[in-house]
Amino acid sequence: MRKHCTLITGASGEIGHGLIAKLAEEGDAPIITIDLKPLEPELADRVEQQYLGSILETHLLERILSEYEVVTVFHLAAILSTRAEFTPLTGHQINVEGTLKLLDFAQAEGESHGRAVVFLYPSSIAAYGLPSLEAKAAAGAVRENEWNEPTTMYGCNKLYCEHLGRYYARHYKQLAAETLSGKVDFRAIRFPGLISAATVPSGGTSDYAPEMIHAAARGEAYACFVRPDTRIPFMVMPDAVDALLKLARAEPSRLRQMVYNIAAFNPSAGEIRELVLASFPGADISFRPDLKRQAIVDSWPADVDDGAARSDWGLAPRYDLAAGFGEYLLPRIRERYRR
Ligand code: AKB
């Protein structure tokens, strides 16, 4: 008999870090992971099996299919927005072809064990594309179906994969004699910029916020690559992980859509600097905008309407900006760099 489990791809990345800790603590099902990089030893102890390799390797997925009955997939593996602009074809390969492989894997699992596999997909505010600062200011809190014209490869990949997820869930092989759809229960969250005390991101364009905070805590100078007035939504990692788990566990009948915005606060880069200075008074934080990365962040909304997530599956971030800094980031980051 194959064993029930939860599969996490891209497990050694930022979200994986928090997710493994929380899932292992709750102990619902054994966790198996796929990543190119091994997990840190402390996390490795909490998973049943690590598969080292790429999500594009068919033999890895086939091995998992033969050994495990995967009940839930958290498909976190991705190449983020800045990195994908330097290597768009690789970005497309990992972000789109990789997701297609995982959706196909989930379909095969669902067909073999007869129940829908819950497939959690972290999409992004990068799925939006506002054409100008005027449009961004006028748009306010954008809804899921507005401004879906991303300017980055990563944003295009995320938006398209949301459609692929919907296809697998509702329309897969619609001309076949028997109904094959319904074996993938696709659920996506459009994440804002994320800030973790445990990890520093790399390859993203919302990275200026976590980079600024971590640099100050390490006593290093930081030149922020966007203007002080730049504003996008953010959330701290524990709330991001809670949101993923809440959506994963939501009753299907409550979900009126497949893709949900979420956010917790939306400070400007200047406001983040002020907060960091209040905690690290000597911090050397300046602004040296990189016009090209700035243009990407300017195309993302200043705020998102996450009313659907709140009413359908109870999104309720615990941390606003002040609590995120005071109760989560600062104590944990101070502790981290004191060691
Ligand atoms: C990035 O900056 O690429 C990501 C994102 C906003 O999805 N953090």
Side-chain angles (χ1 to χ4, degrees):
M1 281 290 283
R2 295 175 308 164
K3 204 167 171 185
H4 282 200
C5 75
T6 296
L7 168 65
I8 306 178
T9 71
S12 64
E14 279 215 291
I15 301 180
H17 204 273
L19 182 63
I20 291 176
K22 187 84 188 193
L23 274 176
E25 193 184 293
E26 294 178 355
D28 279 2
I31 302 166
I32 63 169
T33 62
I34 307 181
D35 205 312
L36 292 169
K37 280 192 288 183
L39 293 169
E40 289 171 11
E42 175 203 327
L43 289 180
D45 288 346
R46 304 190 193 184
V47 309
E48 155 121 0
Q49 172 124 27
Q50 290 190 60
Y51 292 88
L52 286 184
S54 161
I55 50 168
L56 297 172
E57 289 172 53
T58 306
H59 73 95
L60 265 188
L61 295 175
E62 293 272 297
R63 229 178 102 193
I64 296 175
L65 184 59
S66 71
E67 290 172 7
Y68 287 97
E69 203 167 302
V70 174
V71 177
T72 311
V73 176
F74 292 91
H75 174 42
L76 310 180
I79 295 200
L80 299 186
S81 55
T82 290
R83 193 155 293 152
E85 284 313 300
F86 290 106
T87 53
L89 287 187
T90 306
H92 189 277
Q93 233 174 14
I94 300 295
N95 295 343
V96 174
E97 290 171 35
T99 300
L100 186 60
K101 269 195 177 295
L102 261 299
L103 284 167
D104 217 59
F105 163 82
Q107 176 72 28
E109 279 277 355
E111 283 178 22
S112 93
H113 58 62
R115 292 182 316 276
V117 172
V118 177
F119 192 105
L120 270 294
Y121 182 65
S123 188
S124 163
I125 46 163
Y128 295 106
L130 282 303
S132 64
L133 285 176
E134 293 69 38
K136 176 165 170 158
V142 303
R143 297 161 70 129
E144 287 86 350
N145 60 354
E146 297 174 329
W147 301 103
N148 296 145
E149 284 191 37
T151 68
T152 60
M153 175 52 99
Y154 170 75
C156 294
N157 297 163
K158 288 292 180 190
L159 192 57
Y160 175 58
C161 287
E162 292 174 1
H163 289 300
L164 280 180
R166 183 174 46 78
Y167 169 75
Y168 268 81
R170 295 209 183 127
H171 310 290
Y172 179 72
K173 288 196 178 168
Q174 56 196 286
L175 298 182
E178 52 187 316
T179 304
L180 291 164
S181 60
K183 294 290 183 270
V184 178
D185 179 350
F186 182 80
R187 306 175 180 198
I189 288 180
R190 285 201 188 141
F191 278 107
L194 297 179
I195 313 179
S196 169
T199 51
V200 188
S202 74
T205 321
S206 62
D207 294 2
Y208 60 90
E211 282 174 359
M212 194 186 291
I213 302 164
H214 282 263
R218 287 194 300 258
E220 292 169 6
Y222 183 70
C224 179
F225 61 81
V226 295
R227 294 182 315 267
D229 66 300
T230 306
R231 194 181 292 279
I232 58 169
F234 282 99
M235 177 177 264
V236 292
M237 193 58 80
D239 278 336
V241 168
D242 276 358
L244 265 178
L245 291 176
K246 261 198 177 137
L247 180 56
R249 291 164 186 168
E251 272 302 313
S253 59
R254 295 198 56 101
L255 303 179
R256 288 172 302 157
Q257 53 198 61
M258 282 190 189
V259 177
Y260 290 92
N261 281 337
I262 68 167
F265 42 82
N266 66 336
S268 69
E271 287 161 1
I272 299 173
R273 178 178 180 273
E274 291 310 311
L275 267 174
V276 174
L277 284 179
S279 309
F280 302 97
D284 177 358
I285 303 167
S286 56
F287 287 93
R288 200 186 310 140
D290 168 330
L291 295 186
K292 292 183 173 167
R293 289 181 95 187
Q294 177 76 58
I296 291 178
V297 186
D298 284 345
S299 77
W300 294 347
D303 199 4
V304 292
D305 179 341
D306 59 11
R310 287 175 191 265
S311 62
D312 285 9
W313 46 272
L315 170 75
R318 174 169 160 210
Y319 298 101
D320 61 13
L321 181 59
F325 257 77
E327 294 168 28
Y328 164 67
L329 287 167
L330 293 175
R332 304 264 183 120
I333 285 182
R334 283 209 170 100
E335 171 66 23
R336 175 183 166 164
Y337 293 112
R338 218 187 337 255
R339 278 189 239 137

